[in-house]
Amino acid sequence: MQRLAMDLRMLSRELSLYLEHQARVGFFGSGVGLSLILGFSVAYAFYYLSSIAKKPQLVTGGESFSRFLQDHCPVVTETYYPTVWCWESRGQTLLRPFITSKPPVEYRNELIKTADGGQISLDWFDNDNSTCYMDASSRPTILLLPGLTGTSKESYILHMIHLSEELGYRMLLLNYLGKIGSKTPLMAAATFSVGWNTFACSESLEKPLNWLLFNYYLTTCLQSSVNKHRHMFVKQVDMDHVMKAKSIREFDKRFTSVMFGYRTIDDYYTDASPSRRLTSVGIPVLCLNSVDDVFSPSHAIPIETAKQNPNVALVLTSYGGHIGFLEGIWPRQSTYMDRVFKQFVQAMVEHGHELS
């Protein structure tokens, strides 16, 4: 609330300076224009505070996990104030890559060759200058997995690396966690804007405006990625047919489901939906989603399923878009998602034993 008050005071000061200038040039000589702008500003501020700025909904399957988050990750219970001039889902999603800064990060790359001939590229931030964990063998490691078409150079990934560096640490996995249960070597996990039901995600992204803004662009990115290695796939799929796909669903039907050996795209989408395995997760998992995310529609968020697993906590904001969660007048440095990430990771490293 204090942050919002500061933002509103700054906005009011800038507005006052502007109005004083207009008054000097006589534009508001009658006072009508001034009254209209002040009236609109008050009405907008009231609407924003009453309808936009809200506390997130915290859904947990166990009382102990809920208390743990309230004690050590309080940001999940605080009011989220989206950027006052950009709180709509699509605006948050589209502007985030252009507005947020990209902290400088130097990676060490490791290339792992798999038994089936594939390759896994890992970008490591070793944080050898850490003063909290000078011994590399005991330094906590954060594993960050970017989303669809994402890389280690994405701004939100770089911000998470930067926050991990501050904490002294070195460095979407719900399907993996659901399959392996409590046998995973990971101590905890967090997901951001995960697509819970792949069918619902595809349907939402195929709506005309969403297709125009997101679907077609992401499809071309996927096509570009596989076309670079076209010679490796020509024996399994019709690459010319793949390159004619106009949506993610068409791309998945013609390429992804075939390459992974699924009989139909429905079989692939069923297996790829993490909501069906949520009850099997065996370690603490925090999942941040916005209910206005067009990539993951609210009706597909597994609220009732989450209540059945004491290891799961859903944090649902009213606004924030997809990997957006912008806040403040000019959200250059940090987002609500960054604050959730930092507090949760630090809570698990320093106090995770309380959940044992």
Side-chain angles (χ1 to χ4, degrees), residues 157-172:
I157 293 292
L158 294 175
H159 275 277
M160 290 182 180
I161 292 290
H162 182 65
L163 292 173
S164 300
E165 179 184 15
E166 291 180 357
L167 294 171
Y169 308 157
R170 183 163 47 183
M171 277 289 263
L172 305 178

Side-chain angles (χ1 to χ4, degrees), residues 271-284:
D271 198 38
S273 299
S275 58
R276 58 194 292 267
R277 295 193 177 96
L278 197 59
T279 55
S280 302
V281 172
I283 60 173

Side-chain angles (χ1 to χ4, degrees), residues 308-327:
Q308 301 174 28
N309 190 333
N311 295 308
V312 174
L314 302 181
V315 179
L316 308 177
T317 62
S318 298
Y319 298 92
H322 185 75
I323 309 293
F325 302 100
L326 303 178
E327 57 183 355

Side-chain angles (χ1 to χ4, degrees), residues 265-314:
I265 187 175
D266 286 355
D267 292 337
Y268 167 55
Y269 275 7
T270 298
D271 198 38
S273 299
S275 58
R276 58 194 292 267
R277 295 193 177 96
L278 197 59
T279 55
S280 302
V281 172
I283 60 173
V285 176
L286 177 69
C287 308
L288 175 64
N289 278 86
S290 172
V291 297
D292 72 346
D293 185 354
V294 299
F295 283 73
S296 185
S298 59
H299 68 267
I301 297 176
I303 293 178
E304 294 305 317
T305 305
K307 293 178 180 178
Q308 301 174 28
N309 190 333
N311 295 308
V312 174
L314 302 181

Side-chain angles (χ1 to χ4, degrees), residues 178-204:
K179 291 179 180 178
I180 203 169
S182 59
K183 297 180 180 179
T184 176
L186 302 177
M187 65 180 297
T191 67
F192 303 98
S193 299
V194 67
W196 291 102
N197 183 295
T198 313
F199 293 99
C201 296
S202 295
E203 291 172 3
S204 177

